[in-house]
Amino acid sequence: FFLSLKLEKKTKGKLQKQICQVVLDHFEKQYTAELGDAWSSVRDVLTSPWCWQHALLLNRFSQSPGLESSLAEQGFSPAFAAALPYLPAALRCYIRTAPGRFPSQKHQPGKLKEYYLLNAASLLPVLALEVKDGEDVLDLCAAPGGKSVAILQCACPGNFHCNEYDDLRSRWLEQTIESFIPDALINLIVVSKLDGRQIGDLQPEFYDKVLVDAPCSNDRSWLFSADPQQAVLRLTQRKELSSLQFQLLSSALKALRPGGSLVYSTCTLSKAENSDVINLILSSCRNVVPVDLSEMARGVSQEFTFLSGMQQHELLVLPEKGRAWGPMYVAKLKKTSST
């Protein structure tokens, strides 16, 4: 009872977060132009935290006997029920249509957590990457670590390099890995704090698979910027993000072996940070081809709402009530030869 009371108070506190009007006005103008009629229903979800949902990614390294039956009793069911091109049996994610957040587990040194709370759409880049056992994998912008943890639920890479340039976020990444991954596997993981734009030159053609979950204008959190001045600064700097994203992608492609695959993802709806960045890479790199994601999209269409009219190598998840996942943009590329 005390736990539920505590959770209720915490939730009410979160709901009192104020929407930042300057950000909403900016989004209103931009996304009405870019998304058309779809924007109004997306806006309703993004501005209503009480209808947001959280998925549970179960940790295969820390099995809890009664957890799955307990989740079923609370209305959760397995995500990704349909046949997908890539869905390892060990990747188990539970979702429910009801909003609300499942209690998170505290970090305890020496004890592995049983599940990771996340936006279910953030697993799509991992499913698109299709990591197999023994492959050399780079997670270029890895903090806070959810996608790194998800990759390790799918397969055991030969080398797994998790990079995070920001010092504070890098410590967060290390703690996430320590909370979910056993010591025997941690020895296979390299955590670095390199500038992602330099990794391609430092480790050319070293990796089979690269994930670039790029720094972006996070639509959900930006809408609740507590400091209006910081919000104005963020919106001013927003124009520079696509340049950084392009540089990170260029570096990631250098780090990729010929025949290797790269997945690019963001948690923004912004076309400038999504399709425009990918189109620029495709038009400026001769040795890169797009990879069709439409089969994966069909397989997860029960769980997610996608923006129509996208190209076959890209997806944009639109949050809607009852399926409040996203925003999440995913694009997949393949390197055909050396530069």
Short mmCIF file of all heavy atoms in Angstrom, two decimals, residues 9 30 51 58 69 77 92 100-101 116 136 147 163 198 231 280 284 293 300-302 309 314 317 320 323 326:
data_model
loop_
_atom_site.label_atom_id
_atom_site.label_comp_id
_atom_site.label_asym_id
_atom_site.label_seq_id
_atom_site.Cartn_x
_atom_site.Cartn_y
_atom_site.Cartn_z
N LYS A 9 1.91 9.55 -5.61
CA LYS A 9 2.39 10.92 -5.35
C LYS A 9 3.43 11.32 -6.37
O LYS A 9 3.42 12.43 -6.89
CB LYS A 9 3.00 10.99 -3.94
CG LYS A 9 1.96 11.12 -2.85
CD LYS A 9 2.65 11.29 -1.50
CE LYS A 9 1.63 11.40 -0.38
NZ LYS A 9 2.27 11.31 0.93
N GLN A 30 6.39 23.95 -37.04
CA GLN A 30 7.21 23.02 -37.83
C GLN A 30 6.45 21.74 -38.19
O GLN A 30 6.45 21.30 -39.33
CB GLN A 30 8.50 22.66 -37.08
CG GLN A 30 9.38 21.70 -37.86
CD GLN A 30 10.63 21.30 -37.11
OE1 GLN A 30 10.98 21.84 -36.07
NE2 GLN A 30 11.34 20.30 -37.63
N CYS A 51 -0.85 9.86 -20.32
CA CYS A 51 -1.25 8.78 -21.24
C CYS A 51 -0.02 8.06 -21.83
O CYS A 51 -0.15 7.20 -22.68
CB CYS A 51 -2.17 9.29 -22.33
SG CYS A 51 -1.36 10.25 -23.60
N LEU A 58 12.75 -7.64 -20.55
CA LEU A 58 13.23 -8.57 -19.53
C LEU A 58 14.71 -8.87 -19.75
O LEU A 58 15.18 -8.95 -20.89
CB LEU A 58 12.43 -9.87 -19.56
CG LEU A 58 10.91 -9.76 -19.37
CD1 LEU A 58 10.31 -11.12 -19.03
CD2 LEU A 58 10.52 -8.74 -18.31
N SER A 69 4.29 -14.15 -15.23
CA SER A 69 2.89 -14.39 -14.87
C SER A 69 2.31 -13.18 -14.14
O SER A 69 1.14 -12.82 -14.32
CB SER A 69 2.75 -15.65 -14.01
OG SER A 69 3.60 -15.58 -12.90
N SER A 77 1.26 -7.93 -22.14
CA SER A 77 1.39 -9.06 -23.06
C SER A 77 2.68 -8.89 -23.86
O SER A 77 3.22 -7.78 -23.97
CB SER A 77 0.19 -9.13 -23.99
OG SER A 77 0.10 -7.92 -24.72
N ARG A 92 12.75 -10.51 -24.93
CA ARG A 92 11.36 -10.57 -24.45
C ARG A 92 10.96 -9.19 -23.92
O ARG A 92 11.55 -8.69 -22.96
CB ARG A 92 11.21 -11.64 -23.38
CG ARG A 92 11.27 -13.05 -23.96
CD ARG A 92 11.28 -14.11 -22.89
NE ARG A 92 12.39 -13.90 -21.98
CZ ARG A 92 12.34 -14.19 -20.68
NH1 ARG A 92 11.25 -14.71 -20.15
NH2 ARG A 92 13.39 -13.99 -19.91
N GLY A 100 0.84 4.50 -17.70
CA GLY A 100 1.43 4.32 -16.37
C GLY A 100 2.78 3.66 -16.44
O GLY A 100 3.12 3.01 -17.42
N ARG A 101 3.51 3.84 -15.37
CA ARG A 101 4.89 3.37 -15.32
C ARG A 101 5.02 2.25 -14.29
O ARG A 101 4.57 2.39 -13.15
CB ARG A 101 5.80 4.55 -14.95
CG ARG A 101 7.28 4.27 -15.04
CD ARG A 101 8.05 5.51 -14.57
NE ARG A 101 9.47 5.24 -14.54
CZ ARG A 101 10.30 5.54 -15.52
NH1 ARG A 101 9.87 6.12 -16.62
NH2 ARG A 101 11.60 5.28 -15.42
N TYR A 116 14.27 -3.74 -17.81
CA TYR A 116 14.63 -2.37 -18.16
C TYR A 116 13.37 -1.69 -18.67
O TYR A 116 12.68 -2.22 -19.55
CB TYR A 116 15.71 -2.39 -19.25
CG TYR A 116 16.32 -1.04 -19.59
CD1 TYR A 116 17.49 -0.62 -18.97
CD2 TYR A 116 15.75 -0.20 -20.54
CE1 TYR A 116 18.07 0.60 -19.27
CE2 TYR A 116 16.32 1.03 -20.84
CZ TYR A 116 17.48 1.43 -20.21
OH TYR A 116 18.05 2.64 -20.51
N ASP A 136 31.30 -8.06 -34.75
CA ASP A 136 31.89 -6.89 -34.09
C ASP A 136 30.90 -5.73 -34.23
O ASP A 136 30.53 -5.36 -35.35
CB ASP A 136 33.23 -6.54 -34.74
CG ASP A 136 34.25 -7.67 -34.56
OD1 ASP A 136 34.25 -8.29 -33.48
OD2 ASP A 136 35.02 -7.94 -35.50
N LYS A 147 19.68 0.54 -25.50
CA LYS A 147 19.84 -0.20 -26.76
C LYS A 147 21.03 -1.14 -26.68
O LYS A 147 21.01 -2.24 -27.27
CB LYS A 147 19.96 0.78 -27.94
CG LYS A 147 18.66 1.54 -28.20
CD LYS A 147 18.77 2.50 -29.36
CE LYS A 147 17.48 3.29 -29.54
NZ LYS A 147 17.22 4.24 -28.44
N ASN A 163 30.17 3.48 -26.99
CA ASN A 163 30.85 4.77 -26.88
C ASN A 163 29.87 5.86 -26.45
O ASN A 163 28.74 5.90 -26.91
CB ASN A 163 31.46 5.15 -28.24
CG ASN A 163 32.21 6.47 -28.16
OD1 ASN A 163 33.25 6.56 -27.52
ND2 ASN A 163 31.67 7.51 -28.79
N GLN A 198 35.30 10.92 -34.60
CA GLN A 198 36.68 10.50 -34.87
C GLN A 198 36.85 8.98 -34.93
O GLN A 198 37.89 8.49 -35.36
CB GLN A 198 37.62 11.07 -33.78
CG GLN A 198 37.66 12.59 -33.79
CD GLN A 198 38.36 13.16 -32.57
OE1 GLN A 198 38.76 12.43 -31.66
NE2 GLN A 198 38.50 14.47 -32.53
N ALA A 231 15.27 26.66 -23.08
CA ALA A 231 14.45 26.17 -24.22
C ALA A 231 14.74 26.99 -25.47
O ALA A 231 14.90 26.44 -26.56
CB ALA A 231 12.97 26.24 -23.86
N LEU A 280 21.16 13.07 -47.43
CA LEU A 280 22.45 13.71 -47.68
C LEU A 280 23.58 12.68 -47.73
O LEU A 280 24.45 12.72 -48.60
CB LEU A 280 22.73 14.76 -46.60
CG LEU A 280 23.94 15.68 -46.80
CD1 LEU A 280 23.85 16.43 -48.12
CD2 LEU A 280 24.07 16.66 -45.64
N SER A 284 25.83 11.69 -51.01
CA SER A 284 27.25 12.06 -50.97
C SER A 284 28.20 10.86 -50.85
O SER A 284 29.41 11.01 -50.99
CB SER A 284 27.52 13.04 -49.82
OG SER A 284 27.13 12.48 -48.59
N LEU A 293 13.12 -1.70 -44.99
CA LEU A 293 12.63 -2.06 -43.65
C LEU A 293 11.13 -2.38 -43.66
O LEU A 293 10.53 -2.54 -42.60
CB LEU A 293 12.88 -0.90 -42.66
CG LEU A 293 14.32 -0.61 -42.26
CD1 LEU A 293 14.38 0.63 -41.37
CD2 LEU A 293 14.95 -1.80 -41.55
N VAL A 300 5.41 -5.30 -37.18
CA VAL A 300 5.15 -4.61 -35.90
C VAL A 300 4.01 -3.59 -36.01
O VAL A 300 3.82 -2.77 -35.12
CB VAL A 300 6.44 -3.91 -35.37
CG1 VAL A 300 7.52 -4.93 -35.05
CG2 VAL A 300 6.96 -2.85 -36.34
N SER A 301 3.23 -3.69 -37.09
CA SER A 301 2.17 -2.70 -37.32
C SER A 301 1.04 -2.79 -36.29
O SER A 301 0.26 -1.85 -36.13
CB SER A 301 1.60 -2.83 -38.73
OG SER A 301 1.08 -4.13 -38.93
N GLN A 302 0.94 -3.93 -35.56
CA GLN A 302 -0.05 -4.04 -34.48
C GLN A 302 0.34 -3.15 -33.30
O GLN A 302 -0.51 -2.61 -32.60
CB GLN A 302 -0.16 -5.50 -33.98
CG GLN A 302 -0.83 -6.44 -34.97
CD GLN A 302 -2.25 -6.04 -35.30
OE1 GLN A 302 -3.07 -5.86 -34.41
NE2 GLN A 302 -2.54 -5.86 -36.58
N GLY A 309 3.95 7.46 -46.26
CA GLY A 309 4.67 8.22 -47.27
C GLY A 309 6.18 8.24 -47.10
O GLY A 309 6.89 8.96 -47.80
N GLU A 314 13.21 3.60 -44.31
CA GLU A 314 13.04 4.41 -43.10
C GLU A 314 11.64 4.26 -42.52
O GLU A 314 10.69 3.94 -43.22
CB GLU A 314 13.34 5.89 -43.40
CG GLU A 314 12.49 6.47 -44.50
CD GLU A 314 12.75 7.94 -44.80
OE1 GLU A 314 13.59 8.58 -44.15
OE2 GLU A 314 12.06 8.46 -45.71
N VAL A 317 7.91 6.37 -36.14
CA VAL A 317 6.83 5.97 -35.22
C VAL A 317 6.17 7.22 -34.65
O VAL A 317 6.84 8.09 -34.09
CB VAL A 317 7.38 5.11 -34.06
CG1 VAL A 317 6.25 4.73 -33.10
CG2 VAL A 317 8.08 3.87 -34.58
N GLU A 320 0.38 7.64 -30.46
CA GLU A 320 -1.07 7.89 -30.43
C GLU A 320 -1.62 7.25 -29.16
O GLU A 320 -0.99 6.36 -28.57
CB GLU A 320 -1.76 7.36 -31.69
CG GLU A 320 -1.73 5.87 -31.86
CD GLU A 320 -2.65 5.39 -32.98
OE1 GLU A 320 -2.81 6.11 -33.98
OE2 GLU A 320 -3.19 4.30 -32.85
N ARG A 323 -1.30 3.60 -28.00
CA ARG A 323 -0.02 3.14 -28.58
C ARG A 323 0.91 4.36 -28.56
O ARG A 323 1.35 4.85 -29.58
CB ARG A 323 -0.21 2.65 -30.02
CG ARG A 323 -1.14 1.47 -30.15
CD ARG A 323 -0.97 0.73 -31.46
NE ARG A 323 -1.49 1.49 -32.60
CZ ARG A 323 -1.54 1.00 -33.84
NH1 ARG A 323 -1.12 -0.23 -34.08
NH2 ARG A 323 -2.01 1.72 -34.84
N GLY A 326 7.12 6.14 -29.25
CA GLY A 326 7.76 7.10 -30.14
C GLY A 326 7.74 8.49 -29.51
O GLY A 326 7.36 8.64 -28.34
#
